[in-house]
Amino acid sequence: MTGSAEREDRDPDGLATLLSDAVTDGIRAARGFAGGVYLRSGTPGLLRLAVLAGLPGPLFRPWWRMHVERPFPVADAHRLGVEVLLADPTETMRRYPQLAAGLPFRFGSLYVPVVGGTTPYGVLTVLRPPASDATEVLPDRDRMTAVAEELGAALAVLAKDGCPVVWDAEPVCARPPAEGPSSRTVGGFTWDPVTDMVIADDALWALLGTRHETFPGTPEALADAVAHDEPRLLLAALRETAAGRPPPHPLPVRTGSGGLRLLDLWPSGGTGRTGGAPYRVSGVLVDPGPGPAAGGAADQLPEGVFALDRLGLITYANPRAAELLGRPRAELLGRPLWDAVPWMARPAYEDHLRGALLSTDPVHFRARGPLPNDARSAPGTTGEAWLSLSVYPGPGGVTCKVVPLGRAAETTGNAPFGTEPARSAPLDPDEAESGTAATAPLYRPIVLAIALAEAVTARQVSEVVMRELLPAFGSRRLAIYLLQDRRLYLAWETGFPQGFLAPFDGVGLDARLPGVETLTSGRPLFFESMQQMAAAYPGIALDAKVGARAFLPLIASGRPVGSCILGFDRPRTFSTEERTVLTALAGLIAQSLERARRYDNEAALARGLQEALLPHRLSAHPMVQTAGRYLPGTVGMEVGGDWYDVVEAGDGLALVIGDVQGHGVQAAATMGQLRSAVRAFALGDHAPDEVMSGTNRLLIDLDPGQFASCCYVRVDPLTGVARAARAGHPQPLLRHPDGRTEVLDLPGGVVLGVDPRAVYPVTELMLEPEAVLALYTDGLVEQPGKDIDDGVEALRATLAGAGSPQRFRPGGHSLSHAADLLTAEARRAHARPDDIALLLTTRRAPRDGDGPGFV
């Protein structure tokens, strides 16, 4: 990262420069058009966008924050420590439908974790044009990975020096790296705050139309020449930049000749004793010219034409565009579009602009803007008119054409749904940060629908509603009641005062309460203030003096499911569109809760079946100690087909572990059949290969449409001789008495239930006294995004360090402790995608008097 070594600032402000350099290098490396870096924040589990280059920050506010548990590529890259490559929109939709729903445009993207040593700091991301084949992106990914590694090392140095490597502010918006020499006139200068001297190049004087011989070299003289109308603003910006706080956007300034210029300032190197503030300040002055949209002829066009750069600044507007946008040209140029033209800051319009900035396809849409001056005197006019906008992407920004539509289009009835969503009361800062202003009517409902489709339990449905619905509409409180035996029971709440909802838990359907009446009537109830609700329901207990409430009926396929209550901290109105969207979303929530209820019933049945089939007592032998553990998965049905068993086999013991494919009642039932079959073969003291072959044929005859892996080990407690057969199961681990632990290499056959002629070779091994044999299922060693061999190695290392070998003996508690230690990380995991089974076995040395018949 060029220049970052000189700017390893010990103060927090140096962090932004380091990150900006990395994003610029990452965009170049991956041949992208925009990029950013997410960094850990002061809130656990929350990443914040620290730097965004090549895109306007306000347009992408919904993505400023990212929880690490959300199903988004940034979260996966950080949480799992893996690179995520999305070559095209199809791949994005397949792997991350929620991201595709929010940004349904043609682009590809790369996400690389930023790690310093063993510390994950964040994620570097680059957006790029879609690729026809993912393999063509691999070299770009490798170069981008090198940038991320360099950034991680630099952040580790900052952290070691005491600089907190976290980000809790708004993102810094930066320009993307230039693709080549600019056709516009650019002049530069440097100001050293220590010597108070300014050095400027010849191009600056050519741009200002003056001679440098008379320039005294002071910042005051520079401000007067560059910003003739407001020199004090430029001097203030210079001082702020020297302190490490550069302006987020180029400053529009006017020279003595009246020409518009754009001034970009940044700190270019520390002058303090530690290399920190005050910084030298570098600046470039740019003549925006007519922009890419037009030459001199563009001013004469009858259509309105204006241009935006990649940060959303208006770089050109012809007279007709200024008239249609409702602002003088002088108030448009050099300003962000949504500041200069406030009526463009509407969700649907912003979504179209996002599409133009993220893809190469033109975008066409209608918008309602101010009525042109020449039409305002017409009878019956309302001061507004419908405009047709066409947005054409280019490498440096977008060109927009705007023309008025005919009178037939000047009614809201002809406007497409979502074109002009109504707004309610002004948003507070937290609501604005959550992205409410740009996402409520369009993005969030789509994401909510997708997320609800993935939720399978009532708790998961409630968590999705809290995560997606509340930020979408600026709500802070949520309560979900479910109907059971003609009473409403509280299933989920957040944001309400502790204990406030307790009196309403279990109320009957005859109670006169808004939460009850919205369900019995099937109509949503909206109260724009607490006073309005108190007037409608005299004597009702209120949890706040101000605010608004929405009561939504949860009805699925005509069947009442419950009620949903949304609480707002401020009075607000509910537009017609918002009421329609909330009512429709309530139907989706109800269907998801009804599905979750059926799921819970099936899961309870499966859990009961599984508990009945798993062994409650393992066969024992005085010379052998065993310890087993079973952990159900927490994703999906939460029950599956993993099992373990210890069975008497003649004068020996059979150790069994297996894993049936899939989850749910069918998997549990198949597991029970296989366990019974293996036990029957073992009690008959059949050879291990015969046990595997017989069980394999039984599973094929049953034809449940499933297969299973299994490992069977028969141990002679007196001699320690063990004979093992394996059917597609992970290799066992063996911890020797001296603590040395290895992964066994047992030859095996295919999984059970596939090939009726499958052969299962038998391997003989020795289980020495106080050695430990570990059998396990793949759920213990598999993690999404990681190699299973790494998981096996981690398990081997944990077993090797589980305790002194002398403590592993029958009658002791150390084997049970080792089983807990090997499953500790899995128990702490927030989500287990698969079941886990573990069986540990050890034996003691024979003593005098022990014989073959000793039991």
Side-chain angles (χ1 to χ4, degrees):
M1 283 165 283
T2 57
S4 62
E6 299 179 3
R7 295 194 299 268
E8 285 191 354
D9 314 294
R10 301 179 187 273
D11 62 293
D13 293 322
L15 183 61
T17 303
L18 182 65
L19 298 175
S20 297
D21 287 345
V23 173
T24 298
D25 290 346
I27 293 174
R28 288 197 184 100
R31 296 182 295 168
F33 55 80
V37 61
Y38 283 84
L39 213 60
R40 300 179 305 177
S41 72
T43 303
L46 181 69
L47 300 176
R48 281 187 177 268
L49 183 61
V51 173
L52 178 64
L55 293 172
L59 273 186
F60 293 85
R61 185 183 293 271
W63 294 271
W64 283 8
R65 302 189 300 174
M66 183 64 61
H67 288 276
V68 297
E69 296 297 334
R70 298 195 67 189
F72 281 80
V74 169
D76 282 355
H78 181 74
R79 186 181 69 255
L80 304 176
V82 298
E83 299 166 349
V84 179
L85 189 162
L86 304 175
D88 54 33
T90 302
E91 180 72 2
T92 304
M93 175 60 77
R94 184 181 68 83
R95 296 178 57 185
Y96 296 97
Q98 293 192 28
L99 174 63
L103 297 171
F105 313 118
R106 289 185 48 79
F107 67 94
S109 52
L110 289 166
Y111 309 83
V112 178
V114 177
V115 181
T118 60
T119 304
Y121 290 110
V123 177
L124 179 66
T125 177
V126 168
L127 308 183
R128 48 165 291 140
S132 57
D133 188 349
T135 56
E136 71 181 66
V137 189
L138 296 181
D140 302 334
R141 182 202 60 186
D142 294 341
R143 290 191 297 269
M144 181 176 162
T145 299
V147 175
E149 291 174 350
E150 186 179 350
L151 174 60
L155 293 177
V157 172
L158 282 181
K160 185 177 180 181
D161 289 347
C163 176
V165 185
V166 295
W167 194 272
D168 286 303
E170 293 187 357
V172 173
C173 296
R175 296 187 176 278
E179 298 184 358
S182 174
S183 59
R184 299 174 181 175
T185 308
V186 178
F189 66 88
T190 302
W191 172 53
D192 188 334
V194 175
T195 63
D196 204 32
M197 290 298 296
V198 175
I199 301 175
D201 60 21
D202 291 338
L204 179 71
W205 308 117
L207 188 60
L208 295 174
T210 185
R211 299 175 61 85
H212 70 277
E213 288 84 356
T214 59
F215 178 62
T218 65
E220 291 78 11
L222 175 72
D224 186 63
V226 172
H228 187 72
D229 53 347
E230 288 288 352
R232 289 178 299 175
L233 295 180
L234 176 54
L235 287 173
L238 288 172
R239 287 191 292 269
E240 287 291 298
T241 305
R245 297 183 293 272
H249 299 292
L251 303 174
V253 295
R254 292 195 176 276
T255 63
S257 62
L260 174 73
R261 305 290 185 263
L262 298 179
L263 177 63
D264 208 355
L265 300 175
W266 70 92
S268 60
T271 61
R273 181 173 300 175
T274 62
Y279 299 96
R280 287 186 296 273
V281 177
S282 292
V284 293
L285 194 66
V286 180
D287 178 5
D299 284 355
Q300 310 302 320
L301 292 175
E303 301 92 355
V305 177
F306 63 98
L308 310 175
D309 68 5
R310 294 206 64 85
L311 293 186
L313 300 181
I314 301 175
T315 58
Y316 170 77
N318 71 356
R320 182 56 170 163
E323 180 183 3
L324 293 174
L325 297 178
R327 298 294 293 272
R329 292 178 74 181
E331 297 179 11
L332 293 174
L333 299 180
R335 297 182 61 188
L337 175 65
W338 33 91
D339 288 347
V341 190
W343 56 265
M344 282 292 291
R346 293 172 178 168
Y349 308 162
E350 292 181 342
D351 198 53
H352 290 305
L353 291 174
R354 277 193 289 267
L357 288 164
L358 291 176
S359 70
T360 58
D361 301 326
V363 174
H364 309 279
F365 64 98
R366 290 188 294 174
R368 190 157 64 183
L371 199 65
N373 293 331
D374 57 5
R376 292 180 182 177
S377 59
T381 57
T382 61
E384 292 184 324
W386 282 100
L387 305 173
S388 174
L389 283 89
S390 299
V391 186
Y392 301 92
V398 297
T399 300
C400 307
K401 183 180 73 172
V402 53
V403 296
L405 289 173
R407 292 297 300 271
E410 295 179 10
T411 63
T412 45
N414 291 329
F417 178 78
T419 297
E420 188 204 4
R423 289 292 306 277
S424 56
L427 299 172
D428 62 29
D430 289 334
E431 288 173 331
E433 186 175 359
S434 72
T436 305
T439 60
L442 299 173
Y443 168 58
R444 290 287 183 177
I446 298 174
V447 171
L448 176 64
I450 295 174
L452 285 175
E454 298 173 352
V456 292
T457 68
R459 180 179 182 84
Q460 290 173 347
V461 171
S462 301
E463 288 176 342
V464 167
V465 174
M466 181 184 69
R467 188 178 67 234
E468 301 295 348
L469 186 63
L470 297 194
F473 292 89
S475 175
R476 300 297 181 85
R477 307 183 186 199
L478 169 70
I480 293 179
Y481 286 84
L482 296 181
L483 181 65
Q484 183 177 352
D485 299 329
R486 295 188 59 78
R487 292 186 176 274
L488 286 172
Y489 293 93
L490 183 62
W492 183 273
E493 67 166 307
T494 182
F496 285 91
Q498 186 174 3
F500 172 77
L501 295 176
F504 304 103
D505 192 16
V507 298
L509 295 184
D510 56 349
R512 190 174 186 276
L513 294 170
V516 173
E517 293 190 357
T518 188
L519 179 62
T520 55
S521 67
R523 294 182 295 103
L525 301 175
F526 298 93
F527 300 98
E528 299 179 354
S529 67
M530 299 303 288
Q531 292 78 9
Q532 190 182 82
M533 188 170 74
Y537 293 87
I540 190 173
L542 302 178
D543 58 302
K545 294 182 179 179
V546 296
R549 295 291 180 268
F551 296 83
L552 308 175
L554 302 179
I555 300 175
S557 302
R559 293 188 299 273
V561 176
S563 300
C564 177
I565 305 172
L566 300 180
F568 303 83
D569 290 345
R570 296 181 179 183
R572 59 161 292 167
T573 60
F574 295 91
S575 68
T576 301
E577 183 182 22
E578 285 178 319
R579 294 173 186 240
T580 301
V581 171
L582 283 171
T583 304
L585 291 178
L588 291 177
I589 296 169
Q591 292 175 6
S592 298
L593 287 170
E594 182 70 10
R595 185 178 67 246
R597 181 177 295 177
R598 292 195 300 269
Y599 165 87
D600 289 338
N601 292 337
E602 183 179 352
L605 173 63
R607 280 192 295 269
L609 177 61
Q610 186 180 45
E611 290 172 2
L613 294 175
L614 285 172
H616 297 280
R617 184 182 64 83
L618 300 177
S619 297
H621 192 285
M623 297 183 63
V624 176
Q625 180 187 3
T626 59
R629 297 290 184 271
Y630 174 79
L631 301 178
T634 60
V635 177
M637 184 55 70
E638 295 188 5
V639 290
D642 291 21
W643 91 95
Y644 62 87
D645 207 350
V646 179
V647 188
E648 295 180 11
D651 56 0
L653 285 180
L655 313 174
V656 187
I657 196 161
D659 181 1
V660 177
Q661 168 221 12
H663 297 81
V665 175
Q666 182 61 52
T670 302
M671 176 270 285
Q673 293 171 313
L674 293 184
R675 175 174 177 260
S676 299
V678 173
R679 286 185 66 89
F681 285 120
L683 290 171
D685 201 15
H686 289 271
D689 57 331
E690 295 175 356
V691 174
M692 290 289 96
S693 297
T695 307
N696 177 49
R697 288 192 294 271
L698 173 66
L699 183 58
I700 292 174
D701 290 342
L702 292 173
D703 191 23
Q706 294 172 304
F707 57 83
S709 67
C710 186
C711 186
Y712 181 95
V713 183
R714 186 195 183 281
V715 179
D716 187 328
L718 293 179
T719 65
V721 173
R723 303 180 71 236
R726 192 172 63 87
H729 203 79
Q731 294 283 3
L733 303 179
L734 181 61
R735 187 185 197 274
H736 296 277
D738 60 1
R740 179 173 52 89
T741 305
E742 63 175 317
V743 181
L744 298 179
D745 186 15
L746 306 181
V750 298
V751 292
L752 305 175
V754 174
D755 182 5
R757 297 180 298 276
V759 177
Y760 300 95
V762 177
T763 305
E764 188 171 291
L765 57 137
M766 177 61 68
L767 184 63
E768 302 173 88
E770 297 175 356
V772 178
L773 180 67
L775 307 179
Y776 54 91
T777 56
D778 56 10
L780 188 58
V781 292
E782 273 190 333
Q783 293 186 22
K786 295 186 178 180
D787 195 304
I788 190 173
D789 291 338
D790 295 336
V792 173
E793 174 57 27
L795 186 67
R796 186 204 64 77
T798 303
L799 180 60
S804 62
Q806 292 78 11
R807 296 176 60 197
F808 291 123
R809 54 171 57 95
H813 299 288
S814 58
L815 196 66
S816 179
H817 170 74
D820 290 336
L821 187 64
L822 293 177
T823 56
E825 184 177 352
R827 291 179 187 276
R828 292 192 298 266
H830 177 72
R832 289 191 299 271
D834 200 1
D835 298 359
I836 292 173
L838 172 71
L839 179 61
L840 301 182
T841 305
T842 189
R843 59 181 287 270
R844 70 168 174 84
R847 297 191 295 264
D848 292 341
D850 294 343
F854 180 73
V855 177

